[in-house]
Amino acid sequence: MQINVDRGAARASGMKRKSGNRVLALGLAIAFAAPVHAAKDPGAAILPPRANSSQQQAPAQQAPAQQQAPAQQQAPAQQAPVQQAPAQQAPAQSGALAPVQKTQVNSQAAYERLLNNSGVTVQWLWSAQRGKLNAIDDNDVVRLEGTQANFEGTLKIKGEVVSIDSDRFVFRGTILILDAPDKGRRCERTGDYEFKATGKRKYWRLQQMESCGRLTDYVDVFY
C-alpha cells in the first residue's frame, strides 16, 4: 500500500508540471501573436508613400515651358519685312545735270568770239535766217540761249559753257529740234556736248550729230 501512495503522488505532481508547461506555452503564444494582430488591424492609419506625391507634381512644372516656346519663335518673323522700305528711294536723283560753277577759259580770243557770235542754225531749216544766240558772262559762267525757227521747224538751244579752247567749246544743256526734217519729229537731248571749229570754217559744229532716228543734225554756232 505504501508503494501505491507514492505512485499516486508522483502522478499528481507530473500532471501539475504538464499543466504548468501548457500555461507557459499558451502565454508565450499570446505574446507573439499580439503584434501580428496589431499589424492586421483594419483600423490602423496607412500614410501614402512620398514617391507618389512627387510623380503627381512633375507634369504641372512642364506646362509653362510648352506654352511659352512657340511665342518666342514667331515674334522675329513678323518684324523682318520692315527693313526693306529705304531701298525704294534710290532712283529719285537720276538724270540731273550739275550746274557749271565757273567756265574754264583757255583761249581769250575764242571766248570773245563766242560772246560776239553771229547766230545758230540747223541744216533742216533751209529757208530760215540764222537764229539769234544770246551769250552772256554771268559771274564767270558763260550762258547760251537761242532759237532758229520758220514754217519748216524749230531749233532751240539753252545751257552753260563748261570750257572754251581755241578751236572748241563744251556746252552743258539742252538741244531741241521740232518738226524738222519731218512734221511731228521731236529730237531732244540733254547733257554735255562738244562744238568744234575745223580748218577755215567760221563756225563751231556739234560733234554728237546723230541722236534721234539715225538722222544727222548739223547744229552750228557761227562767229
Side-chain angles (χ1 to χ4, degrees):
M1 293 300 291
Q2 183 71 36
I3 297 173
N4 292 335
V5 174
D6 294 336
R7 287 180 179 177
R11 288 177 181 176
S13 62
M15 293 175 63
K16 290 180 180 180
R17 289 178 182 177
K18 289 181 181 180
S19 60
N21 291 336
R22 289 178 182 177
V23 172
L24 178 61
L26 180 61
L28 292 174
I30 293 173
F32 283 108
V36 176
H37 288 290
K40 294 182 179 181
D41 186 5
I46 301 175
L47 297 177
R50 294 185 180 181
N52 292 337
S53 61
S54 61
Q55 292 176 359
Q56 294 176 358
Q57 295 177 359
Q61 297 177 357
Q62 296 177 359
Q66 295 176 358
Q67 296 177 359
Q68 295 179 0
Q72 296 177 358
Q73 295 177 359
Q74 295 177 0
Q78 298 176 357
Q79 298 177 359
V82 181
Q83 301 177 357
Q84 299 178 359
Q88 301 177 358
Q89 301 177 0
Q93 299 180 353
S94 60
L97 291 177
V100 177
Q101 301 299 323
K102 182 178 181 179
T103 300
Q104 182 178 350
V105 178
N106 298 322
S107 171
Q108 183 65 26
Y111 165 78
E112 293 177 2
R113 285 195 295 268
L114 183 57
L115 290 181
N116 298 292
N117 71 86
S118 57
V120 61
T121 64
V122 61
Q123 89 276 20
W124 307 119
L125 308 182
W126 305 107
S127 60
Q129 297 180 352
R130 287 183 187 175
K132 184 177 181 181
L133 180 64
N134 294 321
I136 60 172
D137 188 328
D138 181 14
N139 294 325
D140 295 330
V141 177
V142 176
R143 305 185 188 277
L144 303 179
E145 183 174 1
T147 301
Q148 182 190 27
N150 69 352
F151 65 93
E152 297 169 318
T154 302
L155 165 68
K156 291 186 177 183
I157 179 172
K158 182 177 181 180
E160 304 165 339
V161 178
V162 179
S163 61
I164 303 174
D165 290 278
S166 59
D167 62 344
R168 71 195 67 199
F169 68 88
V170 176
F171 169 78
R172 177 175 294 172
T174 300
I175 301 172
L176 174 64
I177 300 174
L178 296 173
D179 296 325
D182 302 310
K183 293 298 181 180
R185 183 193 183 213
R186 179 185 178 89
C187 182
E188 181 175 2
R189 65 191 88 175
T190 300
D192 287 3
Y193 303 99
E194 183 182 51
F195 286 77
K196 183 179 180 181
T198 59
K200 295 182 179 182
R201 296 175 179 175
K202 299 296 183 178
Y203 55 81
W204 295 277
R205 174 162 287 177
L206 175 65
Q207 298 302 294
Q208 293 78 25
M209 301 176 187
E210 296 182 2
S211 179
C212 305
R214 296 186 177 181
L215 294 177
T216 301
D217 299 315
Y218 296 115
V219 179
D220 300 326
V221 176
F222 289 80
Y223 56 88

